[in-house]
Amino acid sequence: MMVISAIYMGYKVITLDPDPTCPASQVAQQIVAPYDDAAAIAELAERSDVLTYEFENVSADALAPYEAKLPQGLDLLRISQNRILEKAFLTQVGVKVAPYTVINSPADLANLDLSFKHVVKTATGGYDGHGQVVVEGVEDLARAEVLASHQPCVSEEFVDYLKEISVIISGNGTSFSVFPVCENEHRQNILDKTIMPARISAYLEKEARQIALKIAKSLKLSGTMCVEMFVTQHDILVNEIAPRPHNSGHATIEACDFSQFDLHIRGVLGLKLPQVVLQSQAVMLQVLGQDMSAAREFAQENPSTHLHLYGKIEAKENRKMGHITVLTDDYTVHL
């Protein structure tokens, strides 16, 4: 989707991916190599005027020699790859996060107060619920100790939130454009549905946008970033940041006058950014591997909806295969 936006603007794109059948291979030239292959990255840099990354699990060290061609920079990448660095950064910026403790070894879990819940998460590599343990008792604590024996972790106080929201924001290094606040619903720790705009008060909407803007300005953001937040009874807490277009922002393709991908491309190229206008209320339904038949049936029965399939060859259970955007104010819609 990022490549498609760039193509529509008249640019040519080359990608580096270890999978010769990756979705981007359908619309871009490709170098087939591991993400940390030094020679492949050197070739990519040589053949490109501008470099960008579209997910976090790439080697910041491998990209370091080419940072001059990387408008996003490496600070944002390093911060978002490591929850310990991320929590410290967010705290330094002055936004609120759940109370947390750095866990460097299983011994650091000995003082965990089991009178209330905690979430122990690996510092690196976790996603969609992987690499984390909810600790409510002694048995959970034992599982968390196993996690902490393999790598550093953070232990967060469990947040009893009312809603999870996310703010997609794009920048060109000096100016910024904020997308409508989204509301997210999960199924088995995987994003299932995004509602745009979020069903929150005008005050909370303003607060969420200001938090995202504060983070973006501190980073001198180029490209698109997602800031995930928890709305509690009394506050908004930042959960994590993603240094790229995010699946909670996919509805922007149809619901807004510019998509998160459009402004990512503009941002990394240093072009002027428009202020985004919401053109329709929308619901984004995530399509996982087990949902493929239901998604096609849904799109057939509801021809005004927008089905996006990413071109992944193998439909595995819980693998993100696509999404459906429904331009509607009926937020109960589902596959």
Side-chain angles (χ1 to χ4, degrees):
M1 290 176 281
M2 190 189 293
V3 174
I4 289 169
S5 285
I7 289 172
Y8 281 174
M9 297 179 205
Y11 301 104
K12 294 182 179 179
V13 182
I14 180 169
T15 65
L16 189 154
D17 193 289
D19 180 3
T21 65
C22 72
S25 68
Q26 303 171 71
V27 286
Q29 299 176 54
Q30 185 184 1
I31 298 171
V32 180
Y35 295 120
D36 59 353
D37 186 310
I41 293 173
E43 180 186 351
L44 183 71
E46 173 65 26
R47 295 171 64 180
S48 304
D49 297 305
V50 175
L51 295 175
T52 184
Y53 47 80
E54 63 89 34
F55 82 140
E56 299 93 309
N57 296 320
V58 294
S59 170
D61 290 341
L63 287 173
Y66 314 103
E67 189 169 10
K69 286 190 173 184
L70 192 72
Q72 288 158 286
L74 294 177
D75 287 348
L76 175 56
L77 182 61
R78 294 186 195 278
I79 289 166
S80 60
Q81 285 178 337
N82 187 302
R83 287 191 172 98
I84 297 172
L85 298 179
E86 184 179 58
K87 298 289 186 188
F89 163 74
L90 293 171
T91 302
Q92 181 182 5
V93 168
V95 301
K96 295 180 180 178
V97 299
Y100 74 98
T101 303
V102 175
I103 306 297
N104 287 310
S105 72
D108 292 336
L109 291 167
N111 295 324
L112 214 61
D113 183 354
L114 297 183
S115 64
F116 55 93
K117 287 200 290 187
H118 304 262
V119 184
V120 177
K121 303 177 180 180
T122 55
T124 61
Y127 69 97
D128 290 345
H130 297 285
Q132 60 182 259
V133 175
V134 177
V135 178
E136 297 185 72
V138 176
E139 289 185 3
D140 300 325
L141 186 59
R143 292 169 52 223
E145 288 172 345
V146 172
L147 206 63
S149 68
H150 291 97
Q151 66 161 292
C153 298
V154 293
S155 175
E156 302 173 7
E157 290 187 15
F158 186 86
V159 178
D160 188 17
Y161 60 89
L162 302 176
K163 294 179 186 290
E164 182 191 287
I165 60 174
S166 58
V167 180
I168 307 295
I169 183 168
S170 299
N172 62 9
T174 56
S175 63
F176 308 92
S177 185
V178 186
F179 288 84
V181 181
C182 302
E183 176 182 339
N184 303 319
E185 297 179 1
H186 291 78
R187 177 178 56 177
Q188 297 179 343
N189 294 310
I190 301 172
L191 183 65
D192 181 51
K193 177 190 290 190
T194 294
I195 294 167
M196 180 183 286
R199 295 169 292 181
I200 55 177
S201 68
Y203 170 80
L204 286 175
E205 178 190 8
K206 182 179 179 181
E207 181 74 10
R209 291 169 65 92
Q210 287 178 338
I211 289 170
L213 195 55
K214 190 173 188 178
I215 295 169
K217 286 181 176 179
S218 70
L219 291 163
K220 297 181 181 178
L221 177 70
S222 291
T224 293
M225 175 180 69
C226 174
V227 184
E228 294 183 8
M229 310 177 192
F230 294 137
V231 178
T232 69
Q233 287 280 9
H234 308 292
D235 225 333
I236 295 179
L237 304 176
V238 177
N239 180 34
E240 62 183 19
I241 58 177
R244 53 173 170 79
H246 191 262
N247 54 346
S248 66
H250 287 343
T252 60
I253 297 171
E254 285 86 23
C256 299
D257 56 344
F258 291 89
S259 77
Q260 62 171 344
F261 302 101
D262 297 334
L263 295 201
H264 180 82
I265 299 300
R266 289 189 179 211
V268 297
L269 293 177
L271 304 177
K272 289 184 177 179
L273 301 182
Q275 292 307 304
V276 176
V277 176
L278 179 67
Q279 296 182 313
S280 173
Q281 295 169 272
V283 174
M284 189 281 292
L285 304 174
Q286 189 79 66
V287 178
L288 303 179
Q290 63 268 31
D291 303 325
M292 290 290 283
S293 295
R296 288 193 174 97
E297 290 176 10
F298 183 93
Q300 184 68 20
E301 293 170 3
N302 300 275
S304 62
T305 62
H306 300 265
L307 173 63
H308 296 259
L309 295 179
Y310 305 151
K312 296 178 180 179
I313 300 301
E314 187 177 359
K316 300 178 182 178
E317 184 173 359
N318 291 338
R319 188 184 194 192
K320 297 182 181 77
M321 301 298 295
H323 70 271
I324 293 175
T325 301
V326 187
L327 302 179
T328 181
D329 60 1
D330 177 10
Y331 295 152
T332 64
V333 65
H334 60 85
L335 289 181

